[in-house]
Amino acid sequence: MPLGLYGSEVSSRFLLGTARYPSPAMLEEAIREAGVDIVTVSLRRESLGIDGTQKGSGQAFWSLIRETGARILPNTAGCHSVREAVTTAHMAREVMGTNWIKLEVIADDMALNPDVFGLVEAARILTEEGFSVFPYTTADLGVGERLLQAGCQVLMPWAAPIGSGQGLSDINALKAYRQHFATTTLIIDAGIGRPSQAADAMEMGYDAVLLNSAVARAGDPVLMARAFALAIEAGRAAYKADPIEPYLGAMPSSPLTGMASLS
């Protein structure tokens, strides 16, 4: 079943970041091997001009992304204030021609924690201005509620700090988040390091996984992109198949009736 996002549908539940790949060619191959429909792009990193022109390496990057056919989700990465994030979103809309925005408002440069107060305020401003906001947030239920009240239709809680590869650092909190926001589209964003961790998130019932470093920094980014695509697909299928619950003790898989009697 396709994934619905702000009135659009995509077939892949894998969203891939585009930063820090060994080469543009490897980025392009990883995108194709992953089969993703959406890629995230940092406006600043690509040096795109606010007049709609592309300059220097940004022009080549823009052409590469267009050739893959993937939809772009601009990112306010590196923004530390509401004003900075909102301004960057405006630039992204003008340059990239989309109302979609992955909203990041960072509290500190050490752990890259979301500034949840600034995040909610920026989300409110941007939704009122017609943006479709994808907020990078924590697994705090209260913050999630406020983001929904601000107009967000999608929530993107982190698994762990950005680029850490720690995986699902607080499984109980993420399970509670999924249960609490039962009808909201939830995308795990940041901290995933291995395909098995992505599969675990999907088995919990999360709707999609967004990651970057786990693919870009792998020894073979292209092979890792495929591994994540398979893991996310498998995790979703497992969730839909309704896995058995853990049982204390053993439960025989073979029937006991019809066994030979030795008496």
Side-chain angles (χ1 to χ4, degrees):
M1 179 179 295
L3 173 63
L5 298 169
Y6 287 105
S8 298
E9 289 188 345
V10 295
S11 58
S12 174
R13 293 173 181 268
F14 183 12
L15 288 71
L16 187 62
T18 57
R20 299 189 176 183
Y21 285 78
S23 70
M26 192 162 288
L27 166 61
E28 182 178 11
E29 193 173 352
I31 292 173
R32 296 189 187 281
E33 193 68 20
V36 296
D37 297 315
I38 299 172
V39 295
T40 62
V41 175
S42 170
L43 180 70
R44 295 176 177 179
R45 182 174 57 78
E46 300 315 327
S47 302
L48 300 176
I50 61 173
D51 58 354
T53 61
Q54 291 81 45
K55 302 175 181 178
S57 62
Q59 184 175 10
F61 175 86
W62 188 248
S63 297
L64 182 155
I65 296 298
R66 282 182 169 174
E67 289 173 3
T68 68
R71 179 165 183 167
I72 290 180
L73 175 59
N75 188 354
T76 64
C79 292
H80 288 76
S81 69
V82 172
R83 180 179 180 182
E84 193 176 12
V86 169
T87 300
T88 301
H90 287 164
M91 293 171 62
R93 180 161 64 180
E94 184 173 349
V95 172
M96 300 183 184
T98 178
N99 287 326
W100 282 18
I101 192 74
K102 180 190 172 190
L103 180 61
E104 292 186 21
V105 183
I106 301 302
D108 68 274
D109 289 323
M110 178 65 179
L112 301 178
N113 296 317
D115 173 357
V116 295
F117 302 103
L119 180 68
V120 171
E121 177 61 14
R124 182 190 62 77
I125 293 170
L126 291 173
T127 54
E128 289 177 353
E129 294 179 345
F131 283 89
S132 298
V133 178
F134 295 71
Y136 163 63
T137 184
T138 65
D140 184 286
L141 299 179
V143 175
E145 288 286 2
R146 285 163 177 77
L147 286 168
L148 293 181
Q149 293 167 9
C152 298
Q153 298 178 20
V154 175
L155 298 176
M156 299 176 61
W158 67 353
I162 293 173
S164 68
Q166 295 175 19
L168 310 179
S169 59
D170 193 337
I171 291 177
N172 290 332
L174 290 171
K175 286 182 177 179
Y177 205 85
R178 176 68 280 180
Q179 292 171 4
H180 185 79
F181 298 108
T183 61
T184 301
T185 299
L186 302 182
I187 302 174
I188 289 288
D189 179 16
I192 294 292
R194 297 176 182 274
S196 58
Q197 297 163 355
D200 285 343
M202 296 301 291
E203 286 183 16
M204 279 186 207
Y206 278 82
D207 297 288
V209 172
L210 192 162
L211 56 86
N212 188 155
S213 297
V215 170
R217 290 164 43 197
D220 186 336
V222 176
L223 184 59
M224 187 61 77
R226 175 167 171 75
F228 269 107
L230 293 171
I232 290 168
E233 182 179 352
R236 177 65 180 178
Y239 169 72
K240 297 292 288 183
D242 191 16
I244 64 172
E245 293 296 326
Y247 180 76
L248 292 177
M251 183 176 294
S253 57
S254 299
L256 298 180
T257 56
M259 293 182 65
S261 174
L262 299 180
S263 60

